[in-house]
Amino acid sequence: MHRLYPLLILAVLILVGCFSSPASSTTSASAPANLDFSTTRLSEAGRYRVSFTSELNPIAINRLHTWTLHVETPDGAPVENAVIQVHGDMPEHRHGMPTAPKVTQYLGDGNYRVEGMRFQMGGWWEVVFEIEANGEKDRVVFNLLLR
Amino acid sequence: MQRSATRNARLFLLMVGAAMALLLAAGAIAFLTDSPRWSVDEVALLRSLALDALEPLPPDPSNRVADHPGAAALGERLFFDARFSANGAVSCASCHMPERYFTDGRPFGVGVGVIPLNTMTLVGAAYSPWFTWDGKADSQWAQALLPLENAVEHGGDRTFYAHLIAEHYAAEYEALFGPLPDLSRFPRRAGPVDDPDAAAAWGAMTPEEQDAINRIFANMGKALAAYQRTLLPKPARFDRYVASLGDDGRPSRPGVLSEDEIAGLRIFIGKGQCINCHNGPRFTNDAFHNTGVPAAPGYPVHRGRIDGVAIVQSDLFNCLGPYSDAAPEACTALRFIVTEGDTLPGAMKTPTLRNVAETGPYMHTGQFATLAEVIEHYNAGGGFALIGHNELHQPLNLTPTEAKQLEAFLHTLTEEP
Ligand SMILES: [Cu+2]
């Protein structure tokens, strides 16, 4: 009888597979693999270490909300008086955000209030901050995967 | 040895037979009772579309009487009052018919003349930051004033309406907004409108006189908006289906949606990509998109959002204007308005899909008579944009069966009696 054990196990496995019917997948954003979704990133030329926090967590679509951006040098000194532009795009779609967000206030300690954030669909977003401080320009890109 | 081998072979066949029978039975049960269950993520997505997920109506800080029952009552009477038109035959309800979910069933609206735009539903409209197809108004009250002075819609002007308020609704008006000025010194017809006589009469008035009339006009809009804020979506069969879904991704009661409707829902949130724009419990992201919809034959191409931006920014009755009740910081739509970029030309606001099966024809000039035509447009990846660019990238490759299932699903969004 012991020779029949593998067969029994196979039959059971097939049945189990059958009863847990497949949950078909939704076509969500087919973002490239290995995207960095971290909320702290070094700017492209390495001038600033930048992080964001959102007052909405998780970030929901179709809701106007505010972010706080923290900008510091790679060795941790807060960056004051930066001029910051922000925009967002869906790389897989031919459109950006439904709003034009703005940095509206410097909060001290390298923190900036970013008002007017809104995303109108789920999927992969890139949020780009162009930062200029003390004559030095750099940009940082955050990836988001929204539902 | 020989006997044992034979016995084993017999047992082997028996076991295979039993396994096959069980498989068949399981398959039959699955076929008869169930479409595939929804995944945890899909259940969350479906719940985000259900009316249960609709948040309370956000306040309109630009309209002091937005949620005042007296204002809604006055607004409702104004909404249905055809005296408020140049020919005495057109009210808001001429195009926004309550029995048709506040649409008119026509490609174009028909007021005093023909309006070369499809009438949008008002159900749930109060949630949007922008109003009309191109978002030329940033509040429902500012929107309400536009058709009143449009030559082909109501065809009147603001002193005409101020006189009508004083003659027919003075008590109701004054209870809400304070005393009306003496209107006897004002011309019967005056306003910044197409009609040259009315425009000249308006130009002859002093800024103070214009301000007195503007205030009455704005207050009319605020009452109309207070009424329209009460027009909220009601549950549909789709909502009952979502409410019946357990965390295991299966409905607790079978048959709320048919298998075809469920298949269509799966296409809606998946292969059809409809949910990209038609998201949230109102099935709209309230944003502006260009999907290469053809122009109505014989009519110029609508420039869409690029025109809407210019109009709303210069509108005397916008949230930042002198007749708004909002502090400037509260005017978030205007403060963060997108004013440039190649996505604005030809872009139109995503319409809600609630009651969509009953609110055809479709698109901003009613180009498509049926939902099947709309689905065909999107299945082809949209059309060639006559202005701006089509945001869609590629055909959806829905089979004819899938297109029919998607259409079947859209019928489940009609509110139940
Ligand atoms: Cu997108």
Side-chain angles (χ1 to χ4, degrees):
Chain A
M1 278 303 275
H2 62 279
R3 272 178 293 172
L4 298 174
Y5 281 177
L7 183 70
L8 242 176
I9 289 165
L10 184 70
V12 165
L13 279 178
I14 289 169
L15 288 175
V16 165
C18 182
F19 276 115
S20 63
S21 58
S24 78
S25 63
T26 303
T27 320
S28 65
S30 52
N34 309 320
L35 270 182
D36 184 347
F37 290 107
S38 53
T39 59
T40 299
R41 300 198 74 181
L42 203 61
S43 60
E44 286 176 352
R47 289 197 172 92
Y48 309 114
R49 176 171 287 108
V50 188
S51 56
F52 77 87
T53 52
S54 165
E55 68 173 349
L56 280 184
N57 194 8
I59 296 168
I61 58 168
N62 297 341
R63 294 221 5 219
L64 194 74
H65 65 286
T66 296
W67 283 18
T68 302
L69 196 74
H70 178 74
V71 186
E72 59 183 37
T73 61
D75 51 11
V79 174
E80 316 248 333
N81 307 314
V83 176
I84 301 172
Q85 315 287 335
V86 51
H87 72 269
D89 282 297
M90 294 192 84
E92 297 161 299
H93 299 176
R94 294 157 74 179
H95 67 79
M97 297 172 74
T99 51
K102 291 180 180 66
V103 171
T104 54
Q105 198 185 352
Y106 178 60
L107 303 167
D109 203 27
N111 294 320
Y112 299 80
R113 185 195 301 282
V114 188
E115 286 188 85
M117 298 297 291
R118 184 177 170 119
F119 302 96
Q120 74 275 41
M121 64 180 73
W124 172 34
W125 283 88
E126 285 182 345
V127 179
V128 182
F129 290 93
E130 314 266 1
I131 302 167
E132 182 172 4
N134 310 315
E136 295 208 305
K137 266 190 190 174
D138 207 349
R139 74 201 286 274
V140 63
V141 182
F142 293 105
N143 292 299
L144 306 176
L145 195 59
L146 304 185
R147 294 187 180 284
Chain B
M1 210 39 198
Q2 192 73 16
R3 270 178 71 114
S4 161
T6 311
R7 200 188 59 183
N8 277 353
R10 220 184 280 149
L11 264 170
F12 179 89
L13 283 172
L14 201 73
M15 221 165 244
V16 169
M20 280 176 67
L22 271 167
L23 270 170
L24 274 172
I29 289 165
F31 178 78
L32 286 174
T33 63
D34 247 356
S35 48
R37 72 176 178 87
W38 300 101
S39 70
V40 172
D41 284 350
E42 286 167 339
V43 170
L45 196 56
L46 295 180
R47 286 177 180 162
S48 78
L49 294 170
L51 216 45
D52 286 342
L54 187 66
E55 291 173 12
L57 188 56
D60 176 1
S62 73
N63 181 357
R64 194 171 53 77
V65 299
D67 298 304
H68 190 298
L74 172 59
E76 181 169 9
R77 291 176 65 192
L78 296 175
F79 189 89
F80 292 95
D81 193 335
R83 289 175 297 195
F84 286 74
S85 62
N87 63 2
V90 175
S91 73
C92 304
S94 301
C95 294
H96 298 290
M97 304 174 181
E99 67 276 20
R100 289 180 178 269
Y101 304 97
F102 297 88
T103 65
D104 54 14
R106 299 183 285 239
F108 291 165
V110 179
V112 171
V114 173
I115 305 129
L117 281 169
N118 185 251
T119 303
M120 299 188 93
T121 181
L122 302 179
V123 177
Y127 279 86
S128 181
W130 302 110
F131 301 86
T132 79
W133 283 105
D134 60 7
K136 62 167 70 68
D138 66 342
S139 72
Q140 233 170 353
W141 66 269
Q143 188 283 325
L145 303 178
L146 297 170
L148 288 168
E149 283 197 322
N150 186 306
V152 293
E153 298 189 50
H154 293 247
D157 49 68
R158 53 195 73 172
T159 63
F160 174 71
Y161 297 122
H163 282 292
L164 288 170
I165 289 284
E167 286 155 17
H168 303 294
Y169 296 101
E172 294 89 337
Y173 178 96
E174 292 189 336
L176 289 162
F177 302 111
L180 281 160
D182 175 16
L183 292 174
S184 58
R185 64 197 162 105
F186 292 107
R188 189 74 201 172
R189 300 295 301 258
V193 293
D194 290 347
D195 180 79
D197 294 340
W202 180 252
M205 287 166 59
T206 67
E208 292 73 23
E209 289 172 332
Q210 290 181 349
D211 175 66
I213 295 296
N214 285 341
R215 196 159 297 283
I216 300 168
F217 193 44
N219 287 338
M220 270 183 69
K222 289 175 183 177
L224 283 163
Y227 166 59
Q228 290 175 62
R229 283 170 69 81
T230 67
L231 309 176
L232 300 174
K234 298 188 183 81
R237 203 148 49 82
F238 165 75
D239 301 298
R240 261 202 294 142
Y241 175 74
V242 175
S244 80
L245 284 181
D247 291 334
D248 63 351
R250 295 180 192 281
S252 58
R253 281 172 301 135
V256 179
L257 296 190
S258 73
E259 294 302 312
D260 272 346
E261 289 163 347
I262 293 169
L265 172 55
R266 198 172 287 284
I267 293 161
F268 186 90
I269 66 168
K271 184 177 177 182
Q273 299 171 38
C274 314
I275 196 165
N276 282 356
C277 296
H278 296 286
N279 53 32
R282 292 178 297 117
F283 288 81
T284 171
N285 60 4
D286 295 313
F288 301 90
H289 296 281
N290 183 340
T291 62
V293 176
Y299 284 85
V301 180
H302 284 285
R303 286 162 40 87
R305 185 56 177 155
I306 193 80
D307 281 352
V309 167
I311 295 167
V312 72
Q313 285 192 302
S314 60
D315 185 3
L316 180 68
F317 298 104
N318 72 25
C319 183
L320 292 167
Y323 304 101
S324 164
D325 301 315
E329 312 83 72
C331 299
T332 49
L334 281 180
R335 280 177 67 206
F336 304 110
I337 187 173
V338 176
T339 57
E340 52 193 24
D342 60 1
T343 58
L344 300 182
M348 296 290 182
K349 196 169 84 166
T350 309
T352 179
L353 296 185
R354 290 213 168 254
N355 306 308
V356 70
E358 304 300 322
T359 55
Y362 305 103
M363 307 311 201
H364 59 276
T365 56
Q367 291 95 322
F368 300 138
T370 63
L371 286 173
E373 288 171 67
V374 177
I375 292 167
E376 196 181 301
H377 173 80
Y378 286 113
N379 200 18
F384 175 76
L386 299 163
I387 177 172
H389 70 244
N390 174 9
E391 276 178 29
L392 307 171
H393 357 231
Q394 53 218 2
L396 300 171
N397 297 317
L398 301 182
T399 66
T401 303
E402 288 173 328
K404 282 210 166 63
Q405 290 170 329
L406 182 54
E407 186 181 347
F409 162 67
L410 293 174
H411 281 259
T412 71
L413 299 176
T414 302
E415 64 187 47
E416 297 188 291

